[in-house]
Structures are given as structure tokens and as C-alpha cells.
Amino acid sequence: MKPEQVKDLLISQIRTISASAKSFCANPNKDFSRKRKLTMEKVIAGVIGMGSGSLTNELIDLFNDSVETPTSSAFCQQRCKIDFEAFEIVFRLFSKKLYDSFDDKLPILAVDGSKIQIPTNPDDVDSFLPSKNGKKPYNLLHLNALYNLKHQIYQDAIIQKIKSANEHLALIEMVDRSLLHSAILMADRGYESYNNLAHVQEKGWYFLFRIKDGDYGIKQGLTLPDEDSYDISFELNLTRKQTKEVKELTKDRNHYRRIPSDMIFDYLPTKSRKNDPVKFYKLSFRIVRFAISKDTYETIITNLPNDKYPQDELKKLYASRWGIETSFRDLKYTMGMLDFHSKKVGCIQQEIYAHLTMYNFAEMITSHVVIKKKQRKYTYKANFSIAAHMCRKFYRGITSPPNLETIISRNLVPIRPDRHRVRYPTARIFRGFLYRVA
């Protein structure tokens, strides 16, 4: 897809939502009813095109250095009239249109979450975390994302406040509402759950989840060999009944398992009468354990077939899940998702979906730029930081092809697949509006 086509596709989705302005306003009969300089379409397009600069500088760029550029106050008043769901729908519609242009028989998806710190506000109880051990209090949002690893775009996302954050419910919602008929879904240990696996199985997808090696996990309830590496298939029958017959059956740990009534499982009744027949739910999967270094092992659970996906293939496939982790880094630091232009949670949610949209926009254009192969030590790819900057200028109409593709293709970075470095987690604080880059 050419850059002009991608841009026209995004603009058309913004216009579609703006045409139904009353459905996304706090006061449908009043908001955006008069003819103004800042229309709903202009506001949505402006927020999507924002970077990490101050709001005034972003508006000057949006209006091409015009003397009629509206003030920051006017822009904030207009954007506060729009529900963040407008930006969410723009993101989802645009993502769907992008996926429709792909020709994938079996998409490879990854699901994960990332915390986002927002301005401190004790009144927002659902996102506020009080101080502990002398540290300052702060507010957090939790982003749940469904990411296409091959095409490197976000297909779906759900934002939750930290007090009500539930990655399992977010995963189920994104899987159930997806329009994909088949896919491979990968997830890390935090998503280990019979209920999650059952939802993926009912969707007709394949799952590939990393599971815990210790206690309190799926692995604990199974009888497994005392070996470092193995690949074993299971057909586990799950039930909630607790009769004498069921107790005898559950002695065969590798074929029967009782689900407690307080454990969430959507495909078995929570309560039943004594005379009701026993209901089973069959879950088919493999438990595979393999070495990733001399003394380190990982265990995964999957329903991918043995013949097409032996142990070595599963190891390579799961390693590709790291793509969603690097995408979060680009989303936060390259696209500027850590520097918001408002303290209101609703406006911050607008910007999160806007940055997800711009990330997909930049990735779609960058992926189609031709990189010439030369005799080099490494294979090279486009520098996404430069590419994202150029794509944002293209979105604003400051640059155009072929200059866009030429500059992207000239700024490259090497691909080092076996490179490792120690991760040093550091605290991240909200950066005030007066200390933004120009």
C-alpha cells in the first residue's frame, strides 16, 4: 500500500467518525453545533498528529505557522467535548482496514500489557496509588494490546485504570470481538489460565502461552516426567462437579481436572443440582519444555500440531513474541506516548489511542520502503525514530513522496538478532508541561 493510500485511509476514518459527531460528544445537542475554526475533524486529526512538543508548538505545526492558530485553551475546550471512544473507534477501524490489505492465512499475534504513568490526581481513585515507604503517590493506566508480529501493527487495545485492571478479561474481550477466523496467539506467563485457553480454542485459534515452572499453575496439576526437556500431549476434561465418580476420575491427573466454583471458567456452569449430569469441557494441548541457555529452561502450553510445529519451531516462534515488547518501547519513547498534553484522564485516553493510530500509520509506510541490500556485516532496517518523524510530517502535509521514502531509506540501523543486554528498570515520572522539548 502506497503512502498516499495509507494517509487517505486514515483521513477517511476520521471523517467517518466526525460525520457522526453527536454520538461522541458530552452534549450532543450543543457541542460542535456551530461553525468553528476547530471542528471535530480538525481536533481528532490534530491529536493523532501530535508528538512530544508543547501544546502551543504542536498547534503551530498543525496550522502551518498561521497567524490564525487557535490558543491552547481553545483547543483544550474543544477536545474535552469529544469522548475518547471516538479515537478508539478511529484506531480500530483504521487497523481493520490495514489488516484487510494483508494476505495472511495464519496471522501471528501477541498479547501483552504495559503500565502508563499519568499526572498525579488523588481524586481519581481507580488510578491513584498512595505513597509507600516514603515514595511519592502516583496514578497509573494499564494498556492491553493485541499486536500483529509479522506486520508490526496493533490490531486492538483496551485501556484500564490500574485499580480495575484485569489482563485476563482484556484478553478475552479482544479475542472474542476479533473478526479473524484463524490466528496463533502468544502470551507470557501472566496470561496462564484455563479460561483464557478455552476462549482461544473456542475462537478456532491456536494458542502458545508461556507457563510457570513452579507451584500454582497449570503445570502443577499434571503428572510430568522428571526431565529437563519434553513434549507431551494432553486431552484434559474439566468439570465443576464433585461426586464420588468425579473424585475417582480426577485421580488420573493427566485426563481429568476439577475446576473450583470460585475459579472463573465461562464454559461450565458455576452451580448445579445434585442430580444434574456431570458436564465436561475438553481442552487439548501440549506441554513443551526446552532449553534457552545452558542452565535456563522455558515451559510453554500450545495446541499447535506436533508434525508442523516440533520443539525447535515452537522455540523460534515464541522468541518472536519479543516484538511486542520492543513495540511498547517505540510507542512510548519514539511516538511520545509518555508526554501527554492534558491532565484529564479522558484526554489522556484520547492521546493513547491517537499514538496507537500514528504508530500503525508509521509502521505501514515504513514497512513498504525498499532497503537496498549491500555487502555488509549486518542486515539493515529503517531507523524507526527517523521514519516516525517523517511519517508525522507527511501526515501533516509538510513533506510528500518520493522525498518521504528517500529519507527513510537513507537512515538505517543494523539488525542484531543475537544481541543481549542487562535490563535496568528505572522509575518514570510525569514530565510537567513547562519542561517539554520545543
Side-chain angles (χ1 to χ4, degrees), residues 354-419:
H355 286 305
L356 287 166
T357 304
M358 182 51 63
Y359 178 93
N360 285 355
F361 179 82
E363 277 287 2
M364 192 65 182
I365 292 175
T366 305
S367 64
H368 287 79
V369 174
V370 178
I371 308 297
K372 294 182 179 179
K373 293 184 179 181
K374 298 181 180 179
Q375 293 295 329
R376 295 167 171 169
K377 181 178 179 181
Y378 297 105
T379 302
Y380 279 71
K381 65 177 181 179
N383 184 327
F384 186 68
S385 180
I386 303 297
H389 176 70
M390 291 304 301
C391 289
R392 188 176 274 124
K393 291 172 73 70
F394 169 62
Y395 172 77
R396 290 172 170 173
I398 300 173
T399 188
S400 61
N403 293 342
L404 172 67
E405 295 99 322
T406 302
I407 294 175
I408 292 175
S409 64
R410 285 181 177 178
N411 292 272
L412 308 176
V413 291
I415 300 174
R416 300 184 177 97
D418 298 323
R419 195 180 189 189

Side-chain angles (χ1 to χ4, degrees), residues 16 25 63 74 89 93 99 108 113 116 128 151 180 201 203 219 251 268 319 350 359 361 390 392 399 402 407 423:
T16 299
C25 293
F63 283 84
I89 295 176
L93 288 175
Y99 178 77
I108 302 175
I116 303 169
F128 181 72
H151 299 285
L180 299 179
Q201 179 176 273
K203 187 72 175 180
K219 189 177 176 181
K251 290 180 180 179
L268 288 174
Q350 289 179 0
Y359 178 93
F361 179 82
M390 291 304 301
R392 188 176 274 124
T399 188
I407 294 175
R423 298 174 68 188

Side-chain angles (χ1 to χ4, degrees), residues 49-111:
M50 281 185 180
S52 299
S54 65
L55 181 55
T56 300
N57 288 344
E58 294 290 343
L59 290 175
I60 291 173
D61 291 340
L62 176 63
F63 283 84
N64 298 321
D65 306 331
S66 171
V67 294
E68 296 184 357
T69 300
T71 63
S72 301
S73 176
F75 186 83
C76 289
Q77 290 178 43
Q78 289 296 88
R79 71 177 294 189
C80 287
K81 298 176 182 178
I82 307 173
D83 193 283
F84 75 88
E85 291 182 357
F87 292 81
E88 179 184 4
I89 295 176
V90 169
F91 159 69
R92 291 175 58 187
L93 288 175
F94 180 57
S95 301
K96 183 183 180 301
K97 293 293 184 180
L98 292 181
Y99 178 77
D100 290 343
S101 66
F102 304 147
D103 186 20
D104 290 343
K105 294 182 180 179
L106 191 62
I108 302 175
L109 310 177
V111 64

Side-chain angles (χ1 to χ4, degrees), residues 9 24 47 49 81 111 167 186 288 312 345 390 408:
L9 195 61
F24 303 101
V47 174
K81 298 176 182 178
V111 64
E167 290 185 328
M186 293 192 286
V288 185
D312 290 341
V345 177
M390 291 304 301
I408 292 175

